[in-house]
Amino acid sequence: MVGPQRPQFVLFGSSIVQLSFSDGGWGAILADVYSRKADILVRGYYGWNSRRALQVLDEVFPKDAASHPSLVIVYFGGNDSMGPHPSGLGPHVPLLEYIENMRKIALHLKSLSKNTRVIFLSCPPVNEAKIQENRSKYLSELVRTNELCRSYSEACIELCQEMGVKVVDLFTAFQRRDDWLTACFTDGVHLSAEGSKVVVEEVLKVLKEAEWEPCLHWKSMPTEFGVNSPYDLVAYDGKTTINPSEWTFYREIQWD
């Protein structure tokens, strides 16, 4: 542990979470946006589905922990929604089971603390043609279709509406871009820097609009060591200093 202790935002999910700090990923963007405000922690696992998430839920989020995260952003669904393999092996989870698994995840996270907030990300679309181009000689055929993604996304959204959990409809958000098929993915499934920007925009929109106390939108959170100091940069007048803790000019996007 290092101090001062900040609010913790945990990203929990499959490879779209694990890779979120790579190549301009959405986790890295959030870590920048929330620098000096909150710590962004990644608990992402390549290839995982909602079944495996349930197996480790108590280990990743123990109820008897000394402190609990302020926010958990959850993404499972892309692997669950893959077509079933004839052997019965693989990541596919039937839709009704997926819904119940996600319900259990939501209930567990909401039970951690009255101040733990939860956002689910629904299953985004995929570039089916790109997936076929990238078929691996080491893996059986990966059955990923936008029809499957759509059904699991809609189920996730409906569950969240039923339970009062905030949700980002990634299936719709991506397709608002005319160039989503080519711009938003690296391999047809995982997110490019452009795809990650979509995720960040939608997450920040939820955080800004949510009626949570305290507010978890970055502009509303206190900045660590934001008090002026005589050791800060000297202003043009040569008599005062300027505290740079709120500077964001270096960011490509001035996130709202």
Side-chain angles (χ1 to χ4, degrees), residues 53-184:
L54 285 179
Q55 292 177 340
V56 302
L57 199 54
D58 288 309
E59 185 175 350
V60 177
F61 300 101
K63 290 187 176 183
D64 59 355
S67 62
H68 296 288
S70 298
L71 174 68
V72 184
I73 300 177
V74 180
Y75 170 71
F76 292 101
N79 295 321
D80 298 68
S81 65
M82 289 175 61
H85 193 271
S87 67
L89 301 173
H92 170 73
V93 174
L95 183 59
L96 292 180
E97 181 188 344
Y98 166 74
I99 295 170
E100 291 310 306
N101 290 348
M102 297 299 280
R103 185 190 307 276
K104 292 173 183 175
I105 292 171
L107 289 172
H108 180 89
L109 295 175
K110 291 176 71 173
S111 73
L112 294 178
S113 162
K114 65 179 182 179
N115 292 321
T116 296
R117 311 303 183 184
V118 181
I119 299 174
F120 276 14
L121 307 180
S122 82
C123 188
V126 295
N127 183 330
E128 297 178 25
K130 189 73 172 178
I131 293 171
Q132 292 303 312
E133 290 177 14
N134 293 329
R135 287 181 63 181
S136 168
K137 64 181 180 180
Y138 300 106
L139 298 172
S140 297
E141 182 181 1
L142 302 179
V143 180
R144 292 182 184 268
T145 70
N146 279 313
E147 181 57 30
L148 287 170
C149 292
R150 181 194 59 77
S151 61
Y152 280 68
S153 175
E154 290 179 351
C156 178
I157 294 167
E158 184 175 340
L159 173 67
C160 289
Q161 292 171 341
E162 173 194 330
M163 299 185 69
V165 172
K166 300 295 183 183
V167 62
V168 172
D169 178 0
L170 288 183
F171 191 82
T172 299
F174 274 58
Q175 293 182 80
R176 293 194 190 107
R177 289 186 58 144
D178 293 337
D179 62 350
W180 70 272
L181 273 170
T182 55
C184 290

Side-chain angles (χ1 to χ4, degrees), residues 203-211 215-217 219 256:
V203 167
L204 291 179
K205 187 184 303 180
V206 170
L207 291 172
K208 185 175 183 179
E209 295 175 355
E211 296 179 354
C215 180
L216 298 180
H217 187 261
K219 288 185 177 180
D256 190 18

